[in-house]
Amino acid sequence: MHPTGHLRDETVRVGGDARQRFYDGRGYGRPLDGDEIALSRVEAAHLLFRGDLSGIALADDADPVGFERFFVASAAAADRFAVRFLVYSDLRDRGFYLSPARDPWPGGRDAPSDAVDFVAYERGETPDTGNVKYPIQVVGERESVAASGLAGRTLAVVDEESDITYFAAERGAIEGSTDYEPPSDLTGVLLADRVVVWDAPADLHEHGFYGQPLTGRAADVEGALQLSLVEAASLAADDRLSVSASVEDSAGNSRDSDDAARVVARGRDVEGERFDRRLAVYERLRAADAVPKTGFKFGADFRTYLDVETVEDLPHSEHLVRVVERDHRFSPRELSLDVRLAGGVRKEMAFALVEADGETVGETPEKTDGDPIEWLSIDRLTP
């Protein structure tokens, strides 16, 4: 004989031998006095779905209802109940014990934040003894997800056909081991959307992987190197590059404190405030001995190389980096596209979160207290 539940204050109470049957043995709910337990709506629906409860009374003196009516009533009463139920059921089927992590749901003593819907424990371990394996945040395909604070969670995205895709979000900056120091006497000409260094030393590109040489089968010009505005602004900010508006002006041009500001201003003309955010991330990556290059071909801001010795023996890039504002909200479709593309080209997808006002632009960790950039790495996960 299966017990009956009673809905009270958004939790379902079950008496009899419920504690031994459901909590002690299988990690459902929260123990109350005696052998009674309290279940969240999702937990109760799952037990009802499995046939472990005979029914649930929705009000005092009401007749118990079956799964269909309870599911529909809960979907109307509880926020995003349907998608949460789907994820809960899927993880239970995969062998995990889970605790709900939102008030007024019982459990969740290990919940890291109120954005987490469930915590899934190590397989075979109960809420009393187990360590949290996955803090689960559930979202529907058409919802949005705050980028800041996402690190450390497992994102469970439920699409319109009720399929579930899991993403692991982790915190961790990109650190490289490229040993290269640019020369301090570079001069260049500022063009519309790039800077050309006409007499660049060979190792600036060959070992530092700065810029792109002007080359071709019919080329009769040597040493000309095209720098992106981000590369040029970073070199100018470090007092390694002076810029001018023409070749004539560049001859004998002395370094000017406005060199970096001039390039940054051109960058803002070309792409607006986004340039400041990209520059902040570029400088942080270079300060960490990683080499950032354009990620345009992959739909990203940068691709990164962690250990560059020579361009002739260049390894595969390890990361794709997108720069977003700290208050950015992802759409699940956006995340899926980025992560799928990065995985398809054997790279890790990383997001650099920076302040929208650009206050940290151009500042490296040595110039600030800590890293002004929040790093977020996201990958597909199979629990």
Side-chain angles (χ1 to χ4, degrees):
M1 181 68 179
H2 296 299
T4 298
H6 299 270
L7 180 65
R8 297 176 185 173
D9 298 326
E10 292 304 304
T11 62
V12 175
R13 297 194 175 198
V14 184
D17 62 349
R19 174 166 182 158
Q20 179 182 359
R21 181 186 297 201
F22 299 129
Y23 178 78
D24 293 340
R26 294 152 66 187
Y28 285 92
R30 177 184 62 193
L32 300 175
D33 294 335
D35 289 329
E36 189 179 26
I37 65 170
L39 301 167
S40 69
R41 283 182 180 266
V42 167
E43 291 175 305
H46 190 250
L47 288 172
L48 202 57
F49 179 74
R50 289 172 48 89
D52 291 331
L53 292 178
S54 61
I56 296 175
L58 300 181
D60 292 339
D61 302 324
D63 292 332
V65 300
F67 174 77
E68 294 85 352
R69 285 191 59 186
F70 182 74
F71 186 91
V72 172
S74 295
D79 180 40
R80 296 180 304 126
F81 172 83
V83 292
R84 286 177 175 154
F85 173 81
L86 290 169
V87 173
Y88 183 91
S89 297
D90 181 67
L91 290 170
R92 275 282 180 177
D93 289 345
R94 293 172 185 263
F96 292 98
Y97 289 168
L98 299 95
S99 290
R102 286 181 179 234
D103 290 335
W105 297 3
R109 60 183 174 83
D110 291 313
S113 82
D114 60 4
V116 173
D117 293 283
F118 306 107
V119 288
Y121 301 95
E122 298 281 355
R123 278 192 174 91
E125 298 189 3
T126 67
D128 277 342
T129 62
N131 295 316
V132 172
K133 177 70 171 177
Y134 301 116
I136 308 293
Q137 181 176 349
V138 181
V139 295
E141 175 186 348
R142 298 179 181 86
E143 297 180 65
S144 63
V145 182
S148 184
L150 186 58
R153 301 179 197 161
T154 298
L155 196 64
V157 180
V158 183
D159 67 23
E160 65 180 0
E161 295 184 352
S162 300
D163 285 333
I164 303 168
T165 302
Y166 294 95
F167 297 94
E170 302 293 342
R171 180 179 291 109
I174 297 173
E175 302 290 339
S177 57
T178 300
D179 185 15
Y180 177 75
E181 191 77 12
S184 58
D185 56 352
L186 300 170
T187 60
V189 177
L190 179 60
L191 304 180
D193 62 351
R194 65 204 63 221
V195 169
V196 177
V197 178
W198 292 103
D199 55 351
D203 69 340
L204 185 62
H205 177 72
E206 291 299 321
H207 297 285
F209 206 9
Y210 282 90
Q212 182 70 21
L214 275 171
T215 60
R217 293 181 179 178
D220 192 31
V221 175
E222 295 183 0
L225 190 68
Q226 302 176 85
L227 299 174
S228 71
L229 292 176
V230 168
E231 291 174 312
S234 178
L235 288 168
D238 288 340
D239 293 327
R240 299 180 183 279
L241 171 69
S242 61
V243 297
S244 60
S246 69
V247 175
E248 289 77 13
D249 293 340
S250 68
N253 184 37
S254 60
R255 183 150 289 112
D256 191 319
S257 61
D258 290 335
D259 282 333
R262 188 179 299 121
V263 180
V264 169
R266 182 61 54 82
R268 290 170 178 166
D269 288 342
V270 170
E271 58 179 308
E273 294 180 357
R274 178 172 171 268
F275 180 81
D276 294 80
R277 296 191 290 272
R278 291 179 62 242
L279 176 58
V281 173
Y282 180 91
E283 291 196 332
R284 172 61 185 86
L285 290 168
R286 280 288 184 179
D289 295 329
V291 176
K293 298 295 286 184
T294 178
F296 173 78
K297 291 182 179 179
F298 306 101
D301 289 291
F302 301 109
R303 67 189 193 276
T304 63
Y305 300 86
L306 301 185
D307 186 13
V308 175
E309 294 185 2
T310 67
V311 172
E312 293 180 356
D313 190 23
L314 194 65
H316 285 290
S317 57
E318 293 89 352
H319 299 84
L320 295 182
V321 179
R322 273 192 59 203
V323 181
V324 298
E325 296 179 15
R326 198 178 294 273
D327 61 356
H328 179 74
R329 296 189 68 87
F330 294 112
S331 73
R333 185 181 297 273
E334 172 189 11
L335 275 181
S336 182
L337 284 170
D338 286 336
V339 173
R340 174 69 73 178
L341 175 59
V345 293
R346 296 180 296 168
K347 304 182 196 309
E348 183 177 330
M349 191 67 222
F351 298 90
L353 281 56
V354 299
E355 296 294 344
D357 57 17
E359 288 184 356
T360 64
V361 167
E363 296 181 347
T364 62
E366 291 76 17
K367 301 176 186 176
T368 62
D369 295 329
D371 196 335
I373 298 168
E374 180 180 348
W375 294 93
L376 184 64
S377 174
I378 299 182
D379 200 1
R380 288 282 297 271
L381 172 71
T382 300

